[in-house]
Amino acid sequence: MADTVAAGLKAPPTAKGRATRQAILEAAEEVFGELSYDRASIAEITRRAGVAQGTFYVYFPDKKAAFVELVHVLTHNLRRAISTAVAGLESRFEVERVGFRTFFEYVVKHRPLYRVVRESEFVDPETHRWHYETIASSYIRGLSKAQGEGQISTHVSAETMAWVLMGIAELIGARYVQWEGRTPPDEVVDEVMTFISCALSPPRSSK
């Protein structure tokens, strides 16, 4: 997991401190994902992290701060994974295919992401909104660029496209990752891409 990015906290200055903090966040991901925010306890998080309960407060003032930080870290790591996977691709449709596949692979490895993000709507609405707007912002930039290059339709705004595509990815992922614990089959990804291609392709000019 990455260094802190939320709640005004600072990354520990030493490698040992960063490792301890990472262990706490990884344990928090498990506990929040399994038990929910309300049922999760600092005692259980530190037990799984293998640290003393008092150590938790060296890095986080309370349970909510750790929860908010976890949402930020998971979101940034997801964006980084997708950005790395699509780097160098020129076709927007190939970017979509690789991006969707990378998203599915990430949430399989981090299944608590779904529950944590959904609960963030009630634990900290600002963080919930930040999660989606952060993902949307980079998506919009990429789609706008593709529109400017004539790769995809300009009949729908890049912003609307981004939110629609995010909804597709999230629900298809939930269908397979949450219910079956696996990435969507290749044929499902192919069907999703067929749908996206039909929706985003520029209209053919009539002659």
Side-chain angles (χ1 to χ4, degrees):
M1 289 191 177
D3 288 345
T4 184
V5 292
L9 305 175
K10 294 182 179 179
T14 67
K16 181 178 180 181
R18 290 190 292 273
T20 300
R21 187 176 178 284
Q22 177 175 323
I24 292 172
L25 282 171
E26 289 176 352
E29 181 181 347
E30 291 181 6
V31 175
F32 288 133
E34 291 175 19
L35 302 181
S36 80
Y37 178 81
D38 287 338
R39 293 173 56 208
S41 67
I42 291 173
E44 180 61 15
I45 291 171
T46 53
R47 185 188 70 79
R48 296 198 192 191
V51 300
Q53 190 167 339
T55 303
F56 179 93
Y57 297 100
V58 174
Y59 303 97
F60 305 102
D62 51 34
K63 183 173 74 169
K64 181 178 177 179
F67 181 88
V68 169
E69 176 70 357
L70 178 62
V71 174
H72 277 251
V73 169
L74 289 171
T75 302
H76 277 290
N77 287 349
L78 170 59
R79 289 183 67 198
R80 182 181 297 111
I82 294 174
S83 178
T84 299
V86 304
L89 299 179
E90 296 184 2
S91 165
R92 186 65 215 181
F93 296 105
E94 187 62 18
V95 168
E96 292 300 327
R97 177 182 290 276
V98 173
F100 267 62
R101 177 60 73 188
T102 303
F103 171 77
F104 297 143
E105 291 171 351
Y106 183 87
V107 293
V108 162
K109 295 177 181 177
H110 298 276
R111 291 180 66 184
L113 176 66
Y114 273 102
R115 184 170 196 169
V116 168
V117 169
R118 286 169 181 165
E119 284 201 306
S120 71
E121 180 180 3
F122 308 100
V123 176
D124 193 86
E126 183 178 342
T127 295
H128 181 261
R129 180 170 178 169
W130 173 88
H131 165 78
Y132 287 105
E133 289 184 339
T134 298
I135 294 174
S137 64
S138 57
Y139 218 152
I140 292 167
R141 287 194 298 273
L143 290 167
S144 296
K145 180 175 182 291
Q147 285 181 323
E149 295 171 347
Q151 291 195 49
I152 60 176
S153 173
T154 58
H155 289 182
V156 178
S157 71
E159 181 174 4
T160 297
M161 283 184 185
W163 287 94
V164 170
L165 292 169
M166 286 163 55
I168 293 171
E170 183 165 328
L171 285 177
I172 292 291
R175 159 68 177 82
Y176 290 95
V177 175
Q178 291 295 91
W179 294 358
E180 300 181 15
R182 64 183 179 122
T183 59
D186 289 341
E187 58 268 26
V188 171
V189 177
D190 289 342
E191 289 172 344
V192 169
M193 288 309 306
T194 296
F195 180 86
I196 291 173
S197 296
C198 292
L200 299 192
S201 293
R204 295 179 180 178
S205 58
S206 58
K207 295 184 179 180

